[in-house]
């Protein structure tokens, strides 16, 4: 059985040998991972659950805004949902490296379902208050501390190392495709029968992934070595990341982006309500258009055989620039149009970081590395969401959105230069057939191209 990239240790041929072609990256097609039965069950369960997740996100944000009229309150809700990841994310990664992934996911999915159903009961009975939503968001975040790294690292056990890039990309396409349906359904439910029904349907949607997990064939998994119990495993994970620049700097970059630039519940709800005087339908439309671009970005990533850090830097700069452009858009149609490429580049950042980290990490450390990644990416929201919510309330949605984009551009530019220097590269500026050309080249080549005095 496969225990990591290039490590085959099965004592005798078994059914997995029939998947040898599927485990060869060169033969990847856009949907090649779906040929694997266990991954197919996982994928289909996530389709249903992700639609419910997006319904709850829209309903939750709009309910808070309706009850308080404050973008800062929406930011607080987002912060509470991701605060557990910031506080306990690394401990979740240690647990994931020790535990079997499938039983762990069954427990976390049940916990999240119960949280959604409790919020549905409170809302449908007319007893919901803002503090109820805050508590539900925090409880959901606690389950996510274990669920996120377990789900991220479980993908490699479902498909093997050769299909990891494709499967990660399809997972992202799955999540973002649900974004096309979930916000639209949530908008209809909110305006038609109320937010409580969105919470109820999300709670029931967890039946699908739970069924998929229970129907999987354990003998067809690609299990990896689990970390033994021991002291210092959290510090070991941190040292592992800080000692490898190809892991450290992408995580630092997504930390800046996740903290200040990915606060879409704050930004988009403010633009829908304050800038363009729309309602829940306009907010849902913004999310749907972003999802169109995100699905495109994920499917393009599924066709690529590798995840390059150079692509991550370029995509992060483009993403930040588009946020600044959107902030300056004077018309609703122009702002809405920018949501499509914004979604594409945001997904490129997400998938490229996720895949490059998993491919560069020893399997026994993967839970801790992915937990650190999710802690920095999602855990930055408790810090960033209230800040950008305050900026948005005080100076307006345009200033808040532009500030987030500026942080993304600055962070990507600086970290790109750091990675280039560590990789022995230098910036080359010149002309090619009458057009300016900016690129990174090896230092030796730069010196060879330098004019002789």
């Amino acid at each position: 059985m496969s225990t990591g990239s290039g490590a085959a240790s099965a004592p005798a041929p078994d059914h997995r040998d029939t998947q040898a072609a599927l485990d060869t990256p060169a033969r990847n097609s856009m949907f090649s991972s779906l040929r694997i039965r266990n991954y197919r069950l996982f994928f289909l369960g996530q389709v249903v659950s992700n639609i419910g997740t997006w319904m709850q996100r829209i309903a939750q944000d709009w309910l808070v805004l309706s009850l308080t009229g404050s973008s800062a309150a929406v930011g607080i809700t987002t912060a509470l949902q991701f605060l557990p990841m910031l506080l306990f994310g690394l401990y979740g990664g240690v647990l994931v490296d020790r535990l079997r992934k499938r039983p762990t996911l069954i427990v976390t999915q049940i916990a999240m379902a119960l949280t959604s159903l409790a919020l549905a009961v409170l809302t449908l009975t007319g007893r919901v208050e803002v503090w109820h939503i805050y508590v539900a968001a925090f409880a959901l975040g606690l389950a996510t501390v274990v669920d996120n790294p377990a789900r991220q690292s479980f993908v490699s056990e479902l498909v093997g190392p050769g299909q990891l890039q494709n499967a990660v990309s399809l997972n992202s396409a799955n999540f973002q495709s649900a974004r096309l349906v979930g916000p639209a359904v949530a908008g209809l439910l909110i305006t038609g029968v109320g937010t409580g029904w969105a919470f109820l349907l999300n709670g029931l949607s967890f039946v699908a992934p739970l069924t998929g997990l229970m129907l999987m064939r354990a003998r067809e998994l690609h299990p990896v070595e689990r970390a033994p119990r021991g002291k210092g495993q959290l510090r070991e994970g941190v040292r592992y990341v800080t000692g490898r620049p190809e892991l450290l700097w992408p995580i630092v970059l997504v930390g800046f982006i996740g903290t200040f630039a990915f606060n879409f519940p704050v930004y988009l709800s403010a633009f829908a309500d304050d800038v363009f005087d729309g309602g829940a339908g306009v907010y849902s439309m913004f999310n749907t258009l972003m999802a169109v671009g995100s699905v495109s970005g994920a499917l393009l990533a599924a066709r690529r055989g590798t995840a390059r850090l150079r692509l991550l830097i370029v995509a992060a700069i483009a993403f930040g620039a588009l946020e600044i452009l959107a902030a300056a858009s004077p018309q609703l149609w122009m702002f809405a149009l920018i949501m499509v490429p914004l979604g594409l580049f945001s997904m490129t950042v997400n998938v490229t970081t996720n895949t490059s980290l998993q491919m560069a990490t020893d399997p026994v450390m993967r839970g801790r590395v992915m937990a650190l990644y999710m802690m920095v990416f999602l855990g930055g929201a408790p810090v960033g969401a209230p800040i950008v919510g305050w900026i948005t309330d005080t100076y307006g949605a345009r200033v808040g959105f532009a500030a987030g984009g500026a942080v993304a551009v600055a962070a990507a530019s600086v970290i790109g230069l750091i990675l280039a220097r560590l990789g022995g590269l230098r910036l080359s500026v010149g002309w090619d057939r009458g057009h300016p050309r900016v690129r990174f080249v090896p230092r030796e080549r730069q010196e060879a191209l330098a004019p002789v005095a």
Side-chain angles (χ1 to χ4, degrees):
M1 66 186 66
S2 174
T3 58
S5 299
S9 58
D14 60 11
H15 63 278
R16 283 187 292 273
D17 293 335
T18 63
Q19 294 183 358
L22 293 178
D23 288 340
T24 304
R27 295 191 61 182
N28 275 0
S29 64
M30 185 176 288
F31 303 103
S32 58
S33 296
L34 292 176
R35 301 178 207 162
I36 301 171
R37 180 182 181 275
N38 282 346
Y39 179 73
R40 193 161 58 245
L41 288 169
F42 179 82
F43 185 90
L44 293 174
Q46 292 299 308
V47 168
V48 178
S49 182
N50 286 336
I51 291 173
T53 296
W54 277 110
M55 290 169 57
Q56 172 141 337
R57 283 192 178 189
I58 300 300
Q60 175 181 280
D61 297 339
W62 201 257
L63 180 59
V64 171
L65 194 63
S66 300
L67 291 173
T68 66
S70 170
S71 294
V74 178
I76 291 172
T77 307
T78 302
L80 287 171
Q81 186 164 329
F82 298 120
L83 180 61
M85 183 65 71
L86 179 64
L87 297 177
F88 312 116
L90 286 177
Y91 295 98
V94 171
L95 284 175
V96 167
D97 279 336
R98 293 176 180 174
L99 301 173
R100 289 189 298 155
K101 307 301 187 296
R102 186 164 63 137
T104 301
L105 285 171
I106 290 174
V107 173
T108 57
Q109 295 286 296
I110 291 174
M112 289 190 287
L114 293 176
T115 300
S116 298
L117 291 174
L119 189 56
V121 171
L122 288 170
T123 307
L124 290 172
T125 57
R127 299 177 180 177
V128 69
E129 298 179 19
V130 174
W131 72 268
H132 292 143
I133 305 173
Y134 289 166
V135 171
F138 187 79
L140 186 63
L142 285 174
T144 303
V145 166
V146 177
D147 183 80
N148 257 334
R151 191 155 32 85
Q152 299 283 348
S153 55
F154 187 50
V155 174
S156 65
E157 296 190 22
L158 290 170
V159 302
Q163 290 292 319
L164 184 58
Q165 160 84 12
N166 182 261
V168 169
S169 300
L170 288 182
N171 282 352
S172 299
N174 184 333
F175 186 71
Q176 297 301 327
S177 296
R179 194 175 182 177
L180 295 171
V181 180
V185 175
L188 292 174
L189 289 173
I190 292 170
T191 56
V193 294
T195 55
W197 290 97
F199 300 141
L200 177 62
L201 291 178
N202 179 50
L204 296 176
S205 73
F206 285 96
V207 172
L210 286 168
T211 301
L213 288 167
M214 292 176 181
L215 290 176
M216 289 178 184
R217 297 170 182 163
R219 66 183 184 276
E220 295 181 10
L221 295 173
H222 300 252
V224 299
E225 180 185 356
R226 282 185 283 160
R229 292 181 179 272
K231 295 182 179 180
Q233 290 180 324
L234 191 152
R235 292 191 300 272
E236 181 186 9
V238 174
R239 285 197 301 267
Y240 181 81
V241 170
T242 55
R244 303 185 64 177
E246 71 274 19
L247 300 179
L248 174 63
W249 290 110
I251 290 176
V252 172
L253 174 58
V254 299
F256 278 103
I257 293 177
T259 300
F260 298 105
F262 262 63
N263 289 285
F264 295 116
V266 177
Y267 296 138
L268 299 187
S269 62
F271 267 85
D273 192 45
D274 299 332
V275 178
F276 298 119
D277 296 321
V282 174
Y283 180 45
S284 297
M285 179 187 69
F286 290 158
N287 281 276
T288 300
L289 289 171
M290 275 199 70
V292 172
S294 297
V295 171
S296 301
L299 292 177
L300 288 173
R303 293 184 62 89
R304 290 192 293 268
T306 58
R308 298 180 181 276
L309 294 181
R310 178 172 55 190
L311 176 63
L312 171 62
I313 298 300
V314 172
I317 292 174
F319 168 76
L322 284 168
E323 284 201 343
I324 296 171
L325 181 62
S329 300
Q331 301 294 329
L332 172 62
W333 67 266
M334 187 180 299
F335 183 89
L337 189 63
I338 295 174
M339 292 299 101
V340 177
L342 187 66
L344 188 151
F345 283 106
S346 70
M347 184 49 52
T348 302
V349 170
N350 194 334
V351 172
T352 304
T353 306
N354 190 315
T355 307
S356 63
L357 291 177
Q358 293 210 47
M359 295 298 290
T361 301
D362 189 317
V364 76
M365 301 291 296
R366 190 168 285 144
R368 276 164 283 183
V369 172
M370 297 312 295
L372 180 60
Y373 160 61
M374 298 307 297
M375 184 190 77
V376 171
F377 185 43
L378 299 180
V383 177
I387 294 174
V388 301
W390 175 80
I391 293 174
T392 299
D393 281 342
T394 305
Y395 300 102
R398 296 188 185 278
V399 174
F401 207 12
V407 170
V409 171
S413 300
V414 171
I415 291 173
L417 291 173
I418 291 173
L419 288 172
R421 184 174 182 82
L422 290 172
L425 301 177
R426 293 181 63 182
L427 186 66
S428 173
V429 181
W431 290 85
D432 183 15
R433 298 179 181 178
H435 298 284
R437 185 172 185 178
V438 180
R439 56 179 176 166
F440 287 102
V441 299
R443 289 177 182 169
E444 295 80 4
R445 185 178 175 187
Q446 175 80 9
E447 292 168 0
L449 294 174
V452 179

